[in-house]
Amino acid sequence: MDAAMHAAKDHGFSLLYVITEGAEQRPTSRVWGLLSLTVEMLQVVRVITHVTYGWTHESQAMARWFDLVAVVVDQVRQWVPDLYFYILACVLVVVACADSVFIIKRTRDGVLAAVWPLKVLRFLVATIVTTLLSTTLEFLLYPLDCTTDGMTLSEWVHGGGAGCSPFGMPDVFLSVFTILIVLVFVVFAMGVNLFAFEINPIARGSRAVCTGRVEVAWTAFKIAAGLLPFLS
């Protein structure tokens, strides 16, 4: 067990070292970082302003209007069904995990010459794992969502007016797959956030401003806030 944990940590550190080493630090990086943080915070505010947490429907709707990502998604939903957002989110998570495994293996073999796998993984980590984590999780949970304004999974499978029964037959198969892909996404997101900071020795001090532990706690909060409405 200890050997497996040590190997997992070793792989995690090597992966984050490879994708962060040589990353470009442009003069506009701080501006983009602040914009990314703002977009992320607006999503979190929208998620925690859910009726499950005691807010009114009016407050929930108002918070959604302040979430720039939700506003854009709502406009796109007029032409693109929720099912396609779910498929896109699944593809991105699978690609991120597969790319991570590919980079780790090629790095271990000492034959990682191409740069594009690193750039793809950096982009996916910066989007689905950090800035758009809340929205990505919302897309992934679509098969279990019976409150959507669009067509539910059951309506896609059985036709209009079928209601919502994510654990009925044959919907349950996709629901089980959804639970598995969400678990993979949660582990991947928390692992990346932990190793991305713990790889820096300065972040391990008792008075460090940013530590992997803090990032994992923040990520866990965002994930829990997004999951609780589906479990209540």
Side-chain angles (χ1 to χ4, degrees):
M1 187 68 178
D2 292 339
M5 290 295 296
H6 179 76
K9 291 176 66 175
D10 190 29
H11 290 319
F13 279 123
S14 63
L15 174 66
L16 267 296
Y17 177 80
V18 170
I19 67 173
T20 55
E21 182 70 12
E24 298 181 7
Q25 296 294 329
R26 301 176 181 176
T28 57
S29 296
R30 179 168 296 183
V31 176
W32 282 111
L34 290 174
L35 289 175
S36 174
L37 180 61
T38 302
V39 171
E40 178 186 358
M41 286 301 301
L42 290 174
Q43 290 174 85
V44 174
V45 170
R46 186 253 304 168
V47 170
I48 64 177
T49 316
H50 194 275
V51 291
T52 303
Y53 304 116
W55 295 88
T56 63
H57 289 281
E58 292 76 12
S59 299
Q60 179 178 337
M62 182 178 296
R64 191 172 186 84
W65 273 107
F66 281 98
D67 181 3
L68 302 178
V69 176
V71 171
V72 173
V73 169
D74 288 343
Q75 295 303 312
V76 177
R77 273 177 173 154
Q78 298 180 24
W79 298 278
V80 180
D82 290 341
L83 179 63
Y84 293 96
F85 289 108
Y86 167 73
I87 295 174
L88 174 63
C90 288
V91 169
L92 293 177
V93 172
V94 171
V95 169
C97 294
D99 195 15
S100 300
V101 173
F102 174 79
I103 292 174
I104 290 174
K105 185 178 185 306
R106 301 295 283 183
T107 302
R108 290 294 180 182
D109 296 339
V111 291
L112 183 62
V115 178
W116 66 265
L118 303 177
K119 292 186 176 182
V120 170
L121 188 57
R122 286 173 190 163
F123 173 77
L124 291 175
V125 168
T127 53
I128 65 174
V129 173
T130 54
T131 307
L132 302 178
L133 185 142
S134 299
T135 300
T136 303
L137 185 62
E138 178 184 342
F139 291 163
L140 289 175
L141 291 170
Y142 163 72
L144 308 178
D145 186 7
C146 292
T147 62
T148 178
D149 295 330
M151 292 181 63
T152 63
L153 173 64
S154 300
E155 290 176 322
W156 277 104
V157 175
H158 304 288
C164 182
S165 56
F167 294 101
M169 293 295 293
D171 313 34
V172 65
F173 295 107
L174 187 54
S175 297
V176 171
F177 170 78
T178 296
I179 294 173
L180 292 177
I181 201 74
V182 167
L183 290 176
V184 170
F185 177 63
V186 168
V187 172
F188 180 77
M190 296 185 70
V192 166
N193 279 286
L194 174 63
F195 290 122
F197 282 84
E198 290 297 320
I199 198 173
N200 181 1
I202 300 177
R204 300 178 192 173
S206 59
R207 295 186 179 182
V209 176
C210 296
T211 65
R213 199 176 313 145
V214 173
E215 283 300 308
V216 169
W218 173 238
T219 303
F221 170 77
K222 292 190 293 183
I223 292 172
L227 288 177
L228 283 177
F230 290 90
L231 301 177
S232 59

